[in-house]
Structures are given as C-alpha cells and as structure tokens.
Coordinates of all heavy atoms in Angstrom, one line a residue:
M114 N -2.1 -3.0 -7.6 CA -0.7 -2.5 -7.5 C -0.4 -1.5 -8.6 O -0.8 -1.7 -9.7 CB 0.2 -3.7 -7.6 CG 1.7 -3.4 -7.5 SD 2.2 -2.9 -5.9 CE 4.0 -3.2 -5.9
A115 N 0.2 -0.4 -8.2 CA 0.6 0.6 -9.1 C 1.6 0.1 -10.2 O 2.4 -0.8 -9.9 CB 1.2 1.8 -8.4
E116 N 1.5 0.6 -11.4 CA 2.4 0.2 -12.5 C 3.4 1.3 -12.7 O 3.0 2.5 -13.0 CB 1.6 0.0 -13.8 CG 0.9 -1.3 -13.7 CD 0.5 -1.8 -15.1 OE1 1.2 -1.5 -16.1 OE2 -0.6 -2.4 -15.3
K117 N 4.6 1.0 -12.6 CA 5.7 1.9 -12.9 C 5.6 2.4 -14.3 O 5.4 1.5 -15.2 CB 7.1 1.2 -12.6 CG 8.2 2.2 -12.4 CD 9.4 1.5 -11.8 CE 10.6 2.4 -11.6 NZ 11.6 1.9 -10.7
L118 N 5.8 3.7 -14.6 CA 5.8 4.2 -15.9 C 7.0 3.7 -16.7 O 8.1 3.7 -16.2 CB 5.8 5.7 -16.0 CG 4.6 6.4 -15.3 CD1 4.8 7.9 -15.5 CD2 3.3 6.0 -15.9
N119 N 6.7 3.2 -17.9 CA 7.9 2.8 -18.8 C 8.5 4.1 -19.4 O 8.0 5.2 -19.2 CB 7.5 1.8 -19.8 CG 6.5 2.4 -20.8 OD1 6.5 3.6 -21.2 ND2 5.6 1.5 -21.3
A120 N 9.7 3.9 -20.0 CA 10.4 5.1 -20.5 C 9.6 6.0 -21.4 O 9.6 7.2 -21.2 CB 11.7 4.7 -21.1
S121 N 8.8 5.4 -22.3 CA 8.2 6.3 -23.2 C 6.9 6.9 -22.6 O 6.7 8.1 -22.9 CB 7.8 5.5 -24.5 OG 6.6 4.8 -24.4
S122 N 6.2 6.2 -21.7 CA 5.1 7.0 -21.1 C 5.6 8.0 -20.1 O 5.0 9.1 -19.9 CB 4.1 6.0 -20.4 OG 4.6 4.8 -20.1
K123 N 6.8 7.8 -19.6 CA 7.4 8.8 -18.7 C 7.7 10.0 -19.5 O 7.5 11.2 -19.0 CB 8.6 8.3 -17.9 CG 9.0 9.2 -16.8 CD 9.6 8.5 -15.6 CE 10.9 7.8 -15.9 NZ 11.4 7.1 -14.7
R124 N 8.3 9.9 -20.6 CA 8.7 11.0 -21.5 C 7.4 11.8 -21.8 O 7.4 13.0 -21.7 CB 9.4 10.5 -22.8 CG 10.9 10.7 -22.8 CD 11.5 10.6 -24.2 NE 11.0 9.3 -24.9 CZ 11.6 8.1 -24.7 NH1 12.7 8.0 -23.9 NH2 11.2 7.1 -25.4
G125 N 6.4 11.1 -22.2 CA 5.1 11.8 -22.6 C 4.5 12.5 -21.4 O 4.2 13.7 -21.6
F126 N 4.5 11.9 -20.3 CA 4.0 12.5 -19.1 C 4.8 13.7 -18.7 O 4.3 14.8 -18.4 CB 3.9 11.5 -18.0 CG 3.6 12.1 -16.6 CD1 2.4 12.8 -16.4 CD2 4.5 12.0 -15.6 CE1 2.1 13.4 -15.2 CE2 4.2 12.6 -14.3 CZ 3.0 13.3 -14.1
M127 N 6.1 13.6 -18.7 CA 7.0 14.7 -18.2 C 6.9 15.9 -19.1 O 6.9 17.0 -18.6 CB 8.5 14.2 -18.1 CG 8.8 13.4 -16.9 SD 8.2 14.0 -15.3 CE 9.0 15.6 -15.3
A128 N 6.7 15.7 -20.4 CA 6.6 16.8 -21.3 C 5.4 17.7 -20.9 O 5.5 18.9 -20.8 CB 6.5 16.3 -22.7
K129 N 4.3 17.0 -20.6 CA 3.0 17.7 -20.2 C 3.2 18.3 -18.8 O 2.8 19.4 -18.6 CB 1.8 16.8 -20.3 CG 1.3 16.6 -21.7 CD 0.0 15.8 -21.8 CE 0.3 14.4 -22.2 NZ -0.7 13.4 -21.9
A130 N 3.7 17.5 -17.9 CA 3.8 17.9 -16.5 C 4.8 19.2 -16.4 O 4.5 20.1 -15.6 CB 4.3 16.8 -15.7
K131 N 5.9 19.2 -17.2 CA 6.8 20.3 -17.1 C 6.1 21.6 -17.5 O 6.3 22.7 -16.9 CB 8.0 20.1 -18.0 CG 9.1 19.3 -17.3 CD 10.3 19.1 -18.1 CE 11.4 18.3 -17.4 NZ 12.2 17.6 -18.4
A132 N 5.2 21.5 -18.5 CA 4.5 22.7 -18.9 C 3.6 23.2 -17.8 O 3.2 24.4 -17.8 CB 3.7 22.4 -20.2
K133 N 3.2 22.3 -16.9 CA 2.4 22.7 -15.8 C 3.1 23.0 -14.5 O 2.6 23.2 -13.4 CB 1.4 21.5 -15.4 CG 0.3 21.3 -16.4 CD -0.8 22.2 -16.0 CE -2.1 21.9 -16.7 NZ -3.1 22.9 -16.2
G134 N 4.5 23.1 -14.6 CA 5.3 23.5 -13.5 C 5.9 22.4 -12.6 O 6.5 22.6 -11.6
W135 N 5.7 21.1 -13.1 CA 6.3 20.0 -12.3 C 7.8 19.9 -12.7 O 8.1 20.1 -13.9 CB 5.6 18.7 -12.6 CG 4.2 18.6 -12.1 CD1 3.0 19.0 -12.7 CD2 3.8 18.2 -10.7 NE1 2.0 18.8 -11.9 CE2 2.4 18.3 -10.7 CE3 4.5 17.8 -9.6 CZ2 1.7 18.0 -9.5 CZ3 3.8 17.4 -8.5 CH2 2.4 17.6 -8.4
K136 N 8.6 19.5 -11.7 CA 10.0 19.3 -12.0 C 10.5 17.9 -11.6 O 9.9 17.4 -10.6 CB 10.8 20.3 -11.2 CG 10.5 21.8 -11.5 CD 11.4 22.7 -10.7 CE 11.3 24.1 -11.3 NZ 11.0 25.2 -10.4
K137 N 11.5 17.4 -12.2 CA 12.1 16.2 -11.7 C 12.8 16.4 -10.4 O 13.5 17.5 -10.3 CB 13.0 15.6 -12.8 CG 12.4 15.2 -14.0 CD 13.4 14.7 -15.1 CE 13.6 13.3 -14.9 NZ 14.2 12.7 -16.2
V138 N 12.7 15.5 -9.5 CA 13.5 15.6 -8.3 C 14.9 15.0 -8.5 O 15.0 13.9 -9.0 CB 12.8 14.9 -7.1 CG1 13.7 14.9 -5.8 CG2 11.4 15.5 -6.8
R139 N 15.9 15.8 -8.2 CA 17.3 15.3 -8.4 C 17.6 14.0 -7.6 O 17.3 13.9 -6.4 CB 18.3 16.4 -8.0 CG 19.7 16.1 -8.5 CD 20.6 17.3 -8.3 NE 20.1 18.5 -9.0 CZ 20.6 19.7 -8.7 NH1 21.5 19.9 -7.8 NH2 20.2 20.8 -9.4
G140 N 18.1 13.0 -8.3 CA 18.5 11.8 -7.6 C 17.4 10.8 -7.3 O 17.6 9.9 -6.5
R141 N 16.2 11.1 -7.8 CA 15.1 10.3 -7.4 C 14.1 10.2 -8.5 O 13.9 11.2 -9.3 CB 14.3 11.0 -6.3 CG 14.2 10.2 -5.0 CD 13.3 11.0 -4.0 NE 12.1 10.2 -3.8 CZ 11.1 10.6 -3.0 NH1 11.2 11.7 -2.4 NH2 10.1 9.8 -2.9
D142 N 13.4 9.1 -8.7 CA 12.4 9.0 -9.7 C 11.1 9.6 -9.1 O 10.2 8.8 -8.7 CB 12.2 7.5 -10.2 CG 11.3 7.4 -11.4 OD1 11.0 8.4 -12.1 OD2 10.9 6.3 -11.7
A143 N 11.0 10.9 -9.1 CA 9.9 11.6 -8.4 C 9.8 13.0 -9.1 O 10.7 13.5 -9.7 CB 10.2 11.7 -7.0
I144 N 8.6 13.6 -8.9 CA 8.4 15.0 -9.4 C 7.9 15.9 -8.3 O 7.4 15.4 -7.3 CB 7.4 15.0 -10.5 CG1 6.0 14.3 -10.1 CG2 7.9 14.4 -11.8 CD1 4.9 14.5 -11.1
S145 N 8.2 17.2 -8.4 CA 7.8 18.1 -7.4 C 7.1 19.3 -8.0 O 7.4 19.6 -9.2 CB 9.0 18.5 -6.6 OG 9.9 19.3 -7.3
K146 N 6.3 20.0 -7.2 CA 5.7 21.2 -7.6 C 5.4 22.1 -6.4 O 5.0 21.5 -5.4 CB 4.4 21.0 -8.4 CG 3.7 22.2 -8.9 CD 2.7 21.9 -10.0 CE 1.9 23.1 -10.4 NZ 0.9 22.9 -11.5
R147 N 5.5 23.4 -6.6 CA 5.1 24.3 -5.5 C 3.8 25.0 -5.9 O 3.7 25.6 -7.0 CB 6.2 25.4 -5.3 CG 5.7 26.5 -4.4 CD 6.9 27.4 -3.9 NE 7.6 26.6 -2.9 CZ 8.6 27.1 -2.2 NH1 9.1 28.4 -2.4 NH2 9.2 26.4 -1.2
Y148 N 2.8 24.9 -5.1 CA 1.5 25.6 -5.3 C 1.5 26.8 -4.4 O 1.7 26.6 -3.1 CB 0.4 24.6 -5.0 CG 0.2 23.5 -6.0 CD1 0.8 22.3 -5.8 CD2 -0.6 23.6 -7.1 CE1 0.7 21.2 -6.6 CE2 -0.8 22.6 -8.0 CZ -0.2 21.4 -7.7 OH -0.3 20.3 -8.6
V149 N 1.1 27.9 -4.9 CA 0.9 29.1 -4.0 C -0.5 29.6 -4.2 O -0.9 30.0 -5.3 CB 1.9 30.2 -4.4 CG1 1.7 31.4 -3.4 CG2 3.4 29.7 -4.3
F150 N -1.2 29.5 -3.1 CA -2.6 29.9 -3.1 C -2.8 31.3 -2.6 O -1.9 32.0 -2.2 CB -3.4 28.9 -2.2 CG -3.4 27.5 -2.7 CD1 -2.4 26.6 -2.5 CD2 -4.5 27.1 -3.6 CE1 -2.4 25.3 -3.0 CE2 -4.5 25.8 -4.1 CZ -3.5 25.0 -3.8
A151 N -4.1 31.8 -2.6 CA -4.4 33.2 -2.2 C -4.0 33.4 -0.7 O -3.6 34.5 -0.3 CB -5.8 33.5 -2.5
D152 N -4.3 32.4 0.1 CA -4.1 32.5 1.5 C -4.1 31.1 2.2 O -4.3 30.1 1.4 CB -5.2 33.4 2.2 CG -6.6 32.9 1.8 OD1 -6.8 31.7 1.5 OD2 -7.6 33.7 1.9
F153 N -4.0 31.0 3.5 CA -3.9 29.7 4.1 C -5.2 28.9 4.0 O -5.2 27.7 3.8 CB -3.6 29.9 5.6 CG -3.6 28.6 6.4 CD1 -2.6 27.7 6.3 CD2 -4.7 28.3 7.2 CE1 -2.7 26.4 6.9 CE2 -4.8 27.0 7.9 CZ -3.7 26.1 7.7
N154 N -6.3 29.6 4.0 CA -7.6 29.0 3.9 C -7.7 28.2 2.6 O -8.2 27.1 2.5 CB -8.7 30.0 4.1 CG -10.1 29.4 4.3 OD1 -10.2 28.4 5.1 ND2 -11.1 29.9 3.7
A155 N -7.3 28.9 1.5 CA -7.4 28.3 0.2 C -6.4 27.1 0.1 O -6.8 26.0 -0.5 CB -7.1 29.3 -0.9
A156 N -5.3 27.3 0.6 CA -4.3 26.2 0.6 C -4.8 25.0 1.3 O -4.7 23.8 0.8 CB -2.9 26.7 1.2
F157 N -5.3 25.2 2.5 CA -5.7 24.0 3.4 C -6.9 23.4 2.9 O -7.1 22.1 3.0 CB -5.8 24.4 4.8 CG -5.7 23.3 5.8 CD1 -4.4 22.8 6.1 CD2 -6.8 22.7 6.3 CE1 -4.3 21.6 6.9 CE2 -6.7 21.6 7.1 CZ -5.4 21.0 7.4
A158 N -7.8 24.2 2.3 CA -9.1 23.6 1.7 C -8.7 22.7 0.6 O -9.2 21.5 0.4 CB -10.0 24.7 1.2
W159 N -7.7 23.1 -0.3 CA -7.2 22.3 -1.4 C -6.6 21.0 -0.8 O -6.8 19.9 -1.3 CB -6.3 23.1 -2.2 CG -5.6 22.3 -3.3 CD1 -6.2 22.0 -4.5 CD2 -4.3 21.8 -3.4 NE1 -5.3 21.3 -5.3 CE2 -4.1 21.2 -4.6 CE3 -3.2 21.8 -2.4 CZ2 -2.9 20.5 -5.0 CZ3 -2.1 21.2 -2.8 CH2 -1.9 20.5 -4.0
M160 N -5.8 21.1 0.2 CA -5.1 20.0 0.8 C -6.2 18.9 1.3 O -6.0 17.7 1.2 CB -4.2 20.4 1.9 CG -3.0 21.1 1.5 SD -1.9 21.7 2.8 CE -0.9 20.2 3.1
A161 N -7.2 19.5 1.9 CA -8.3 18.6 2.4 C -8.9 17.8 1.2 O -9.2 16.6 1.3 CB -9.3 19.4 3.2
R162 N -9.1 18.5 0.1 CA -9.7 17.8 -1.0 C -8.8 16.8 -1.6 O -9.2 15.7 -2.0 CB -10.1 18.9 -2.1 CG -11.0 18.4 -3.1 CD -11.5 19.6 -3.9 NE -12.2 19.0 -5.1 CZ -12.6 19.8 -6.2 NH1 -12.3 21.0 -6.2 NH2 -13.2 19.2 -7.2
V163 N -7.5 17.1 -1.7 CA -6.5 16.2 -2.2 C -6.4 15.0 -1.3 O -6.2 13.9 -1.7 CB -5.2 16.9 -2.4 CG1 -4.1 15.9 -2.8 CG2 -5.3 18.0 -3.6
A164 N -6.5 15.3 0.0 CA -6.3 14.2 1.0 C -7.4 13.1 0.8 O -7.1 11.9 0.9 CB -6.4 14.8 2.4
M165 N -8.6 13.6 0.5 CA -9.7 12.6 0.3 C -9.5 11.8 -0.9 O -9.7 10.6 -1.0 CB -11.0 13.3 0.3 CG -11.5 13.8 1.7 SD -13.1 14.4 1.7 CE -12.8 16.1 1.1
K166 N -8.9 12.5 -2.0 CA -8.6 11.7 -3.2 C -7.5 10.7 -3.0 O -7.5 9.6 -3.5 CB -8.2 12.8 -4.3 CG -7.9 12.2 -5.6 CD -9.1 11.7 -6.3 CE -8.9 11.3 -7.7 NZ -10.1 10.8 -8.4
A167 N -6.5 11.2 -2.2 CA -5.4 10.3 -1.8 C -5.9 9.0 -1.1 O -5.4 7.9 -1.4 CB -4.4 11.0 -1.0
E168 N -6.8 9.2 -0.2 CA -7.4 8.0 0.4 C -8.1 7.1 -0.5 O -8.0 5.9 -0.5 CB -8.3 8.4 1.6 CG -7.6 8.8 2.8 CD -6.9 7.6 3.5 OE1 -7.6 6.9 4.2 OE2 -5.7 7.4 3.2
Q169 N -8.9 7.7 -1.4 CA -9.6 6.9 -2.4 C -8.7 6.1 -3.3 O -8.9 4.9 -3.6 CB -10.4 7.9 -3.4 CG -11.8 8.2 -3.0 CD -12.4 9.2 -4.0 OE1 -11.9 9.4 -5.1 NE2 -13.4 9.9 -3.6
L170 N -7.6 6.7 -3.7 CA -6.6 6.1 -4.6 C -5.6 5.2 -3.8 O -4.9 4.5 -4.4 CB -5.9 7.1 -5.4 CG -6.6 8.0 -6.5 CD1 -5.7 8.9 -7.1 CD2 -7.3 7.1 -7.5
D171 N -5.6 5.4 -2.5 CA -4.6 4.8 -1.7 C -3.2 5.2 -2.2 O -2.3 4.3 -2.4 CB -4.8 3.2 -1.6 CG -3.9 2.6 -0.5 OD1 -3.6 3.3 0.5 OD2 -3.4 1.5 -0.6
H172 N -3.1 6.5 -2.4 CA -1.8 7.0 -3.0 C -1.6 8.4 -2.4 O -2.4 9.3 -2.6 CB -1.9 7.0 -4.5 CG -0.6 7.3 -5.1 ND1 0.5 6.4 -5.0 CD2 -0.1 8.4 -5.8 CE1 1.5 6.9 -5.6 NE2 1.2 8.1 -6.1
H173 N -0.6 8.5 -1.6 CA -0.4 9.7 -0.7 C 0.8 10.5 -1.1 O 1.9 10.0 -1.3 CB -0.3 9.2 0.7 CG -1.5 8.4 1.1 ND1 -1.6 7.0 0.9 CD2 -2.7 8.7 1.7 CE1 -2.7 6.6 1.3 NE2 -3.4 7.6 1.8
P174 N 0.5 11.9 -1.2 CA 1.7 12.8 -1.5 C 2.6 13.0 -0.4 O 2.2 12.8 0.8 CB 0.9 14.1 -1.9 CG -0.3 14.0 -1.1 CD -0.7 12.6 -1.0
E175 N 3.8 13.3 -0.7 CA 4.8 13.8 0.3 C 4.6 15.3 0.1 O 4.7 15.9 -1.0 CB 6.2 13.5 -0.1 CG 6.4 12.0 -0.1 CD 7.8 11.6 -0.7 OE1 8.8 12.4 -0.5 OE2 7.9 10.6 -1.4
W176 N 4.2 16.0 1.2 CA 4.0 17.5 1.0 C 4.2 18.2 2.3 O 4.2 17.6 3.4 CB 2.6 17.7 0.5 CG 1.4 17.2 1.2 CD1 1.4 16.5 2.4 CD2 0.0 17.2 0.8 NE1 0.1 16.2 2.7 CE2 -0.8 16.6 1.8 CE3 -0.7 17.7 -0.3 CZ2 -2.2 16.5 1.7 CZ3 -2.0 17.6 -0.4 CH2 -2.8 17.0 0.6
A177 N 4.4 19.5 2.1 CA 4.6 20.4 3.3 C 3.9 21.7 3.0 O 3.9 22.2 1.9 CB 6.1 20.7 3.5
N178 N 3.3 22.2 4.1 CA 2.5 23.5 3.9 C 3.1 24.5 4.9 O 3.4 24.3 6.0 CB 1.1 23.2 4.3 CG 0.3 24.5 4.6 OD1 -0.3 24.6 5.7 ND2 0.2 25.4 3.7
V179 N 3.4 25.7 4.3 CA 3.7 26.9 5.1 C 2.8 28.0 4.6 O 2.9 28.4 3.5 CB 5.2 27.3 4.9 CG1 5.5 28.6 5.8 CG2 6.1 26.2 5.4
Y180 N 1.9 28.5 5.5 CA 1.0 29.5 5.2 C 0.2 29.2 3.9 O -0.5 28.2 3.8 CB 1.7 30.9 5.2 CG 0.8 32.1 4.8 CD1 -0.5 32.2 5.3 CD2 1.3 33.1 4.0 CE1 -1.3 33.3 4.9 CE2 0.5 34.2 3.7 CZ -0.8 34.3 4.1 OH -1.6 35.3 3.8
K181 N 0.5 29.9 2.8 CA -0.3 29.7 1.6 C 0.4 28.9 0.5 O -0.1 28.7 -0.6 CB -0.8 31.0 1.0 CG 0.4 31.9 0.6 CD -0.2 33.3 0.1 CE 1.0 34.1 -0.4 NZ 0.5 35.3 -1.1
T182 N 1.6 28.4 0.9 CA 2.4 27.6 0.0 C 2.3 26.1 0.3 O 2.4 25.7 1.5 CB 3.8 28.1 0.0 OG1 3.9 29.4 -0.4 CG2 4.8 27.3 -0.9
V183 N 2.2 25.3 -0.7 CA 2.2 23.8 -0.5 C 3.3 23.2 -1.4 O 3.1 23.4 -2.7 CB 0.9 23.1 -0.7 CG1 0.9 21.6 -0.4 CG2 -0.3 23.8 0.1
D184 N 4.3 22.6 -0.9 CA 5.3 21.9 -1.7 C 5.0 20.4 -1.8 O 4.8 19.8 -0.7 CB 6.7 22.1 -1.1 CG 7.2 23.6 -1.3 OD1 7.1 24.0 -2.5 OD2 7.7 24.2 -0.4
V185 N 4.9 19.9 -3.0 CA 4.4 18.6 -3.2 C 5.5 17.7 -3.9 O 6.2 18.2 -4.8 CB 3.2 18.5 -4.1 CG1 2.8 17.1 -4.4 CG2 2.0 19.3 -3.5
V186 N 5.7 16.5 -3.4 CA 6.5 15.5 -4.1 C 5.7 14.3 -4.4 O 5.0 13.8 -3.5 CB 7.8 15.1 -3.3 CG1 8.5 14.0 -4.0 CG2 8.7 16.3 -3.2
L187 N 5.7 13.9 -5.6 CA 4.9 12.6 -6.0 C 5.9 11.5 -6.4 O 6.8 11.8 -7.3 CB 3.9 12.9 -7.1 CG 2.8 13.9 -6.8 CD1 1.9 14.1 -8.1 CD2 1.9 13.3 -5.7
S188 N 5.7 10.4 -5.8 CA 6.4 9.2 -6.2 C 5.7 8.0 -5.6 O 4.9 8.2 -4.7 CB 7.8 9.2 -5.7 OG 8.6 8.2 -6.3
T189 N 5.9 6.8 -6.2 CA 5.2 5.6 -5.7 C 6.2 4.8 -5.0 O 7.1 4.2 -5.6 CB 4.5 4.9 -6.9 OG1 3.6 5.8 -7.5 CG2 3.8 3.7 -6.4
H190 N 6.0 4.7 -3.6 CA 7.0 4.0 -2.8 C 7.1 2.5 -3.1 O 8.1 1.9 -3.1 CB 6.7 4.3 -1.3 CG 6.5 5.8 -1.1 ND1 5.4 6.3 -0.4 CD2 7.3 6.9 -1.4 CE1 5.5 7.6 -0.4 NE2 6.6 8.0 -1.0
D191 N 5.9 2.0 -3.4 CA 5.8 0.5 -3.7 C 6.6 0.1 -4.9 O 7.0 -1.1 -4.9 CB 4.3 0.1 -3.9 CG 3.5 0.3 -2.6 OD1 4.0 0.3 -1.5 OD2 2.2 0.4 -2.7
V192 N 6.7 1.0 -5.9 CA 7.5 0.6 -7.1 C 8.8 1.4 -7.2 O 9.5 1.3 -8.2 CB 6.7 0.7 -8.4 CG1 5.4 -0.1 -8.3 CG2 6.3 2.2 -8.6
D193 N 9.1 2.2 -6.1 CA 10.3 3.0 -6.1 C 10.4 3.9 -7.3 O 11.5 3.9 -8.0 CB 11.5 2.1 -5.9 CG 12.7 2.9 -5.5 OD1 12.6 4.0 -4.9 OD2 13.9 2.5 -5.8
G194 N 9.4 4.6 -7.7 CA 9.4 5.4 -8.9 C 8.1 6.0 -9.3 O 7.1 5.8 -8.5
L195 N 8.0 6.6 -10.4 CA 6.8 7.2 -10.9 C 5.8 6.1 -11.5 O 6.3 5.2 -12.2 CB 7.0 8.3 -11.9 CG 7.6 9.6 -11.4 CD1 8.1 10.4 -12.6 CD2 6.6 10.3 -10.5
S196 N 4.6 6.2 -11.1 CA 3.6 5.2 -11.7 C 2.4 6.0 -12.2 O 2.3 7.2 -12.1 CB 3.2 4.3 -10.5 OG 2.2 5.0 -9.7
D197 N 1.5 5.2 -12.7 CA 0.2 5.7 -13.2 C -0.6 6.5 -12.1 O -1.3 7.4 -12.4 CB -0.7 4.6 -13.8 CG -0.8 3.4 -12.8 OD1 0.1 3.2 -12.0 OD2 -1.9 2.7 -12.8
L198 N -0.4 6.1 -10.9 CA -1.0 6.8 -9.7 C -0.5 8.2 -9.5 O -1.2 9.1 -9.2 CB -0.9 6.0 -8.4 CG -1.7 4.7 -8.4 CD1 -1.4 3.9 -7.1 CD2 -3.2 5.0 -8.5
D199 N 0.8 8.4 -9.8 CA 1.4 9.7 -9.7 C 0.8 10.6 -10.8 O 0.5 11.8 -10.6 CB 2.9 9.7 -9.8 CG 3.4 8.9 -8.6 OD1 3.2 9.3 -7.5 OD2 4.1 7.9 -8.9
V200 N 0.6 10.0 -12.0 CA 0.0 10.8 -13.1 C -1.4 11.2 -12.7 O -1.8 12.4 -12.8 CB -0.1 9.9 -14.4 CG1 -0.9 10.6 -15.5 CG2 1.3 9.5 -14.9
A201 N -2.2 10.3 -12.2 CA -3.6 10.6 -11.7 C -3.6 11.6 -10.7 O -4.4 12.6 -10.7 CB -4.3 9.3 -11.2
M202 N -2.7 11.5 -9.7 CA -2.6 12.5 -8.6 C -2.2 13.9 -9.1 O -2.8 14.9 -8.7 CB -1.7 12.0 -7.5 CG -1.8 12.8 -6.3 SD -3.4 12.9 -5.5 CE -3.4 11.3 -4.6
A203 N -1.2 13.9 -10.0 CA -0.8 15.2 -10.5 C -1.9 15.9 -11.3 O -2.1 17.1 -11.1 CB 0.4 15.0 -11.4
Q204 N -2.6 15.1 -12.1 CA -3.7 15.7 -12.8 C -4.8 16.2 -11.9 O -5.4 17.3 -12.1 CB -4.3 14.7 -13.8 CG -3.4 14.5 -15.0 CD -3.7 13.3 -15.9 OE1 -4.6 12.5 -15.5 NE2 -3.1 13.2 -17.1
F205 N -5.2 15.4 -10.9 CA -6.2 15.9 -9.9 C -5.8 17.1 -9.2 O -6.5 18.1 -9.0 CB -6.5 14.7 -8.9 CG -7.6 15.1 -8.0 CD1 -8.9 14.9 -8.3 CD2 -7.3 15.6 -6.7 CE1 -10.0 15.3 -7.4 CE2 -8.3 15.9 -5.8 CZ -9.6 15.8 -6.2
M206 N -4.5 17.2 -8.8 CA -4.0 18.4 -8.1 C -4.1 19.6 -8.9 O -4.6 20.6 -8.5 CB -2.5 18.1 -7.6 CG -2.4 17.2 -6.5 SD -0.7 16.9 -6.0 CE -0.8 16.4 -4.3
D207 N -3.6 19.5 -10.2 CA -3.7 20.7 -11.1 C -5.1 21.1 -11.4 O -5.4 22.3 -11.4 CB -2.9 20.4 -12.4 CG -1.4 20.3 -12.2 OD1 -0.9 21.0 -11.2 OD2 -0.7 19.7 -13.0
K208 N -6.0 20.1 -11.6 CA -7.4 20.4 -11.9 C -8.1 21.1 -10.8 O -8.9 22.0 -11.0 CB -8.1 19.0 -12.2 CG -9.4 19.2 -12.8 CD -10.1 17.8 -13.1 CE -10.6 17.2 -11.8 NZ -11.0 15.8 -12.0
T209 N -7.8 20.7 -9.5 CA -8.5 21.3 -8.4 C -7.8 22.5 -7.8 O -8.4 23.2 -6.9 CB -8.6 20.2 -7.3 OG1 -7.3 19.7 -7.0 CG2 -9.6 19.1 -7.7
A210 N -6.6 22.8 -8.2 CA -5.9 24.0 -7.6 C -6.2 25.3 -8.2 O -5.8 26.3 -7.7 CB -4.4 23.7 -7.8
G211 N -7.0 25.3 -9.3 CA -7.4 26.6 -9.9 C -6.2 27.4 -10.3 O -5.2 26.8 -10.9
A212 N -6.2 28.7 -10.1 CA -5.1 29.5 -10.6 C -3.7 29.1 -10.0 O -2.7 29.3 -10.6 CB -5.4 31.0 -10.2
A213 N -3.7 28.5 -8.8 CA -2.5 28.1 -8.2 C -1.9 26.9 -8.9 O -0.7 26.7 -8.8 CB -2.7 27.7 -6.7
G214 N -2.7 26.2 -9.8 CA -2.1 25.1 -10.5 C -1.5 25.5 -11.8 O -0.8 24.7 -12.5
R215 N -1.7 26.7 -12.2 CA -1.2 27.4 -13.4 C -1.8 26.8 -14.7 O -2.1 25.7 -14.8 CB 0.4 27.2 -13.6 CG 1.0 28.2 -12.7 CD 2.4 28.7 -13.2 NE 3.4 27.7 -13.0 CZ 4.4 27.4 -13.9 NH1 4.4 28.0 -15.0 NH2 5.3 26.6 -13.6
Ligands
H2B472 N1 1.5 6.4 -1.4 C1 2.5 6.5 -2.3 N2 2.9 7.7 -2.7 N3 3.2 5.5 -2.7 C2 2.9 4.2 -2.3 O1 3.6 3.3 -2.7 C3 1.8 4.0 -1.4 C4 1.1 5.2 -1.0 N4 1.4 2.8 -1.0 N5 0.1 5.0 -0.1 C5 0.3 2.6 -0.3 C6 -0.2 3.8 0.5 C7 0.5 1.3 0.5 O2 1.5 1.5 1.5 C8 -0.7 0.8 1.2 C9 -0.4 -0.4 2.1 O3 -1.6 0.4 0.2

C-alpha cells in the first residue's frame, strides 16, 4: 500500500519538483506537469515507456496527449493524496523525458 507523504517530506519533495516544472493542482493533493516533446512519435514513445513503469509500480498517471504535448497529473487515489509512488513516478518521468523533462 502506498504511503501518503507527511508534511515535511511533502515540503522537501515539492521544493525539488517545482524546480523541475511540477505545480500543485488547485484544490487537490496532486501535482501536474506539461511535457512538450519534439513530435508525436517522441511523446508517444515516452508514454509507452512510462506506461510499462506504471504497470510495474501498479501506479497510474492521469494524463492527456495532444500531438507532442502530454499533460500529467500525479496523485494516489488509494490514499487521496501524494504518496511515495508519486515521487517515484515523477522522478522516472523526468529521467526518461530527456530535454522535455527540463
Ligand atoms: N494509480 C494511482 N495513481 N493511484 C492509485 O491509488 C492506484 C493506481 N491504485 N493504480 C491502484 C492502481 C489500485 O487501484 C490497484 C487495485 O492496485
């Protein structure tokens, strides 16, 4: 079961995540980020890679793709907020997105 981040780990995580372009979602314990890739092929290849990671972790992003843009929201539905799994997923997404991850 995912562990909800406590206040101090959330502060620490948010400080680093904000520097990477993640934002708090208004009215929800969740974060969002827009990734813009070179083209649709790059965007969808990245989504496929993230999808396999999501299955491994049993933790799935809320996301939408239009052409080369992918809008992502991360939150853990089981705990109704941010958890260690969102941290892992955000790190994996940024690591694999290359220049689109900033
Ligand atoms: N993804 C996300 N983002 N949050 C969850 O709480 C979650 C999930 N729970 N993927 C998983 C699946 C759960 O529903 C299954 C039954 O393990």
